[in-house]
Amino acid sequence: RNFQSPYYRDSSDSEGDDDFELNPYLLDVNADDPGPELVEYLSDGDEVAAAGTVEMRNGEQSNDDSDDDTYVEDAADNQMSDSSYDSDLNASDSDEGSEAAAEGSNKNAAAKPTTSTGEDTTQPTRRVIEDYDEEEEDDEVIKAIISEIKKPRSKPPDIQVEDFVVDLSFHPTEDILAIGTSVGDVLMYKYSNEANVLAATHELHTKAIRCAEFSRDGKTLITTGRERSIVVMDSETGKFKRFWEAAHDEPVYSMSVLGEHLFATGDDDGEVKLWDVRERNAVFSLRPVEDFISSILANQVQQKYLLVTSGDGLLTTINIAQRKMHVQSEPYEEELNCMGTFKRESKLVVGTSKGNYYTFNWGQFAYHCDAFTGPPASASRMVPITEQIAVMAGEDGILRAMHMVPGRVLGIVGQHAMAVDTLDISGSGELIASSSHDNDVRFWNIKYFEDFDGIKYNSKPDKRTLKHNLPSSQRTNARDFFAGLNE
């Protein structure tokens, strides 16, 4: 309905047509006639009919003297200003309008049936590429391109959001993705390889959302806002379970769910708080640093220590049971942005704003035991996907797979046109979702990492892997694409 017909003539182009109301037209292709026809949406019916075959009906008189009972409009000098035709058409009752629409639909098989809301009731739209037969092409390159595009989709399509995307969170057991936006709303999408459906929109905060995370069982969604509030919401009903209006003195920058009832938050001023959804107040609060808390992590087994990285280049360890700081690392001359555990939680790897990675033995957080330099872009986000591999994202908009212990770049998982702001992995571990500054959310199928066990990780680093596209990437390596072509 939003199609702008080439035969459309604005009423301002002619004089004396100010009272004429234009009807929307669609351009349709007739299988028997290659020329275009005008398909008109009738104002009193739900069906569409070809404008070239609409019968001129009059309730009081008939046109028996003429064999041609249709009014054919000349497309070359279509003026669309026959007011008598417009009034006669509008004067028809609803039954006659339906009959005319049905008759027009029979004459033009290309017209699609629609509901009263304008939704298409036919089968899902076929992709145009399906109509091409690569075997009819003489060019081997064209054959390869068509064959590549025809491959079935292995990931959900992209999601375009009107507002800035701040955070993402996958439901742990269901195919649901929560998207936090800059206007304080959370969009709940049900995703699949065929389509993404917006299931619900929750208005939770008066200002931008800072963090959004599902609980371990998926029954609760926890969000933080720039207005310093924290909301604990039932993910099914949307009702509030707990609300803290002034949870921090400064807006929350990072959050981590630690268990069924516990979660931790860190704000822009270096304060860390531990929360229990069953309690009215925070369990405890500390301010170990003076800059923003960039990430929070706790091991899954014992949860004895709470680790936090900050913008002033410090890794701080908090003893949860004793509710005090355990140890603080030596200061680094760069921001510590993200971290993850590997090798059965025996290693901790921290990514920095200068693209460096520092490895710590678990329990020895005062100074790193190993270090390596990755891509020059800032390491903004880290998502571990196996015991040794993580997906990294940064300001260059590229998602890279990296073997963290020892440090090796494996290749490119995906890419955005702008810097990546947030990253999350699905409960099944097969999908990764990412978003960038252009407000789009993209999915990447990373199931192929199950076959990476045979890679020689200790081999000498290859600089070509910095530009090597993995199967999930939207781009194809040139040497792989042309490998199967005949010379």
Side-chain angles (χ1 to χ4, degrees):
R1 293 179 297 178
N2 296 327
F3 178 77
Q4 183 72 17
S5 172
Y7 302 104
Y8 174 85
R9 184 177 64 87
D10 195 350
S11 59
S12 61
D13 296 341
S14 62
E15 298 180 356
D17 292 340
D18 295 339
D19 297 332
F20 179 69
E21 181 179 357
L22 294 176
N23 291 325
Y25 281 81
L26 291 178
L27 185 65
D28 187 49
V29 178
N30 194 338
D32 299 329
D33 185 5
E37 286 187 341
L38 293 179
V39 179
E40 180 182 8
Y41 280 96
L42 299 180
S43 59
D44 56 348
D46 294 333
E47 302 291 330
V48 297
T53 58
V54 175
E55 293 189 6
M56 297 297 295
R57 295 182 176 270
N58 194 316
E60 299 179 359
Q61 61 183 7
S62 61
N63 298 330
D64 297 334
D65 299 336
S66 176
D67 295 334
D68 186 7
D69 60 348
T70 61
Y71 173 75
V72 180
E73 193 169 16
D74 190 357
D77 31 70
N78 174 25
Q79 301 299 319
M80 294 170 56
S81 59
D82 191 347
S83 58
S84 61
Y85 165 69
D86 183 74
S87 60
D88 290 342
L89 186 60
N90 293 333
S92 301
D93 59 336
S94 59
D95 295 336
E96 291 177 339
S98 301
E99 293 174 2
E103 185 174 352
S105 300
N106 294 332
K107 293 181 180 180
N108 188 357
K112 296 181 180 180
T114 59
T115 63
S116 59
T117 58
E119 297 179 356
D120 190 0
T121 59
T122 58
Q123 296 181 354
T125 306
R126 280 173 53 86
R127 295 191 303 172
V128 177
I129 193 63
E130 300 295 340
D131 298 330
Y132 287 87
D133 185 5
E134 60 269 25
E135 299 302 328
E136 296 181 358
E137 299 290 341
D138 296 332
D139 194 328
E140 295 294 333
V141 176
I142 300 299
K143 285 184 179 180
I145 292 176
I146 296 176
S147 178
E148 187 73 18
I149 299 177
K150 278 187 174 181
K151 290 181 179 180
R153 180 183 290 274
S154 61
K155 63 178 182 178
D158 298 345
I159 300 175
Q160 189 68 34
V161 183
E162 294 182 359
D163 303 303
F164 189 82
V165 178
V166 181
D167 201 7
L168 303 171
S169 181
F170 277 100
H171 193 283
T173 58
E174 301 179 13
D175 294 338
I176 296 177
L177 178 68
I179 303 176
T181 67
S182 59
V183 296
D185 299 343
V186 171
L187 311 178
M188 308 287 282
Y189 274 89
K190 292 184 178 180
Y191 61 89
S192 65
N193 289 348
E194 290 74 27
N196 301 313
V197 179
L198 179 60
T201 300
H202 302 288
E203 300 178 359
L204 303 182
H205 297 272
T206 58
K207 293 185 179 180
I209 284 181
R210 283 294 187 90
C211 305
E213 291 290 339
F214 279 103
S215 60
R216 297 288 175 82
D217 56 7
K219 297 180 179 180
T220 301
L221 180 69
I222 305 172
T223 62
T224 65
R226 192 174 180 274
E227 78 282 6
R228 301 180 293 115
S229 66
I230 297 178
V231 173
V232 180
M233 183 194 76
D234 189 299
S235 59
E236 296 182 358
T237 64
K239 296 181 178 180
F240 284 15
K241 291 183 176 181
R242 181 72 66 184
F243 175 75
W244 291 279
E245 184 175 4
H248 281 257
D249 295 334
E250 296 293 333
V252 173
Y253 191 93
S254 59
M255 179 176 65
S256 178
V257 175
L258 307 180
E260 182 180 358
H261 304 292
L262 295 177
F263 68 96
T265 55
D267 63 22
D268 291 344
D269 201 31
E271 185 177 28
V272 179
K273 288 189 176 184
L274 183 67
W275 303 87
D276 191 323
V277 296
R278 300 166 295 183
E279 304 292 335
R280 292 186 176 181
N281 299 316
V283 177
F284 71 83
S285 63
L286 291 174
R287 190 171 179 267
V289 294
E290 297 180 355
D291 210 336
F292 67 93
I293 303 297
S294 57
S295 63
I296 303 175
L297 182 145
N299 60 338
Q300 302 295 327
V301 181
Q302 298 178 347
Q303 291 193 348
K304 179 180 180 180
Y305 298 121
L306 185 67
L307 305 177
V308 296
T309 58
S310 58
D312 50 9
L314 293 171
L315 171 64
T316 304
T317 307
I318 299 174
N319 190 310
I320 298 178
Q322 298 179 1
R323 303 183 181 183
K324 65 179 184 180
M325 188 172 66
H326 174 67
V327 67
Q328 196 169 64
S329 70
E330 294 291 329
Y332 294 86
E333 297 181 355
E334 49 196 325
E335 296 177 357
L336 305 185
N337 292 336
C338 54
M339 56 182 168
T341 56
F342 303 90
K343 295 277 190 177
R344 298 183 179 179
E345 297 187 342
S346 63
K347 301 290 184 179
L348 174 74
V349 180
V350 179
T352 73
S353 59
K354 295 182 179 180
N356 297 320
Y357 295 85
Y358 299 102
T359 303
F360 298 81
N361 291 320
W362 187 261
Q364 302 174 6
F365 306 116
Y367 197 72
H368 62 270
C369 63
D370 193 11
F372 67 94
T373 301
S378 170
S380 301
R381 295 290 183 269
M382 176 190 296
V383 173
I385 57 177
T386 69
E387 289 293 334
Q388 303 179 82
I389 302 174
V391 172
M392 304 297 306
E395 295 178 353
D396 58 355
I398 299 178
L399 282 67
R400 292 183 174 89
M402 299 183 63
H403 185 269
M404 307 305 289
V405 186
R408 299 287 186 272
V409 177
L410 301 180
I412 296 176
V413 174
Q415 50 280 118
H416 287 265
M418 305 179 72
V420 176
D421 295 308
T422 182
L423 195 65
D424 197 24
I425 187 171
S426 63
S428 63
E430 296 184 3
L431 292 175
I432 276 184
S434 60
S435 66
S436 67
H437 289 176
D438 51 5
N439 302 345
D440 65 337
V441 178
R442 297 182 179 180
F443 296 86
W444 316 97
N445 191 316
I446 57 171
K447 189 177 180 180
Y448 56 86
F449 280 107
E450 298 175 355
D451 302 329
F452 272 44
D453 294 336
I455 292 181
K456 297 179 180 180
Y457 297 115
N458 293 323
S459 61
K460 184 178 179 180
D462 188 353
K463 293 183 179 180
R464 291 178 298 178
T465 58
L466 293 174
K467 297 182 179 180
H468 177 72
N469 293 281
L470 296 172
S472 58
S473 175
Q474 292 182 340
R475 302 170 187 173
T476 307
N477 300 303
R479 60 180 180 273
D480 296 338
F481 182 77
F482 293 102
L485 302 182
N486 296 327
E487 297 181 356

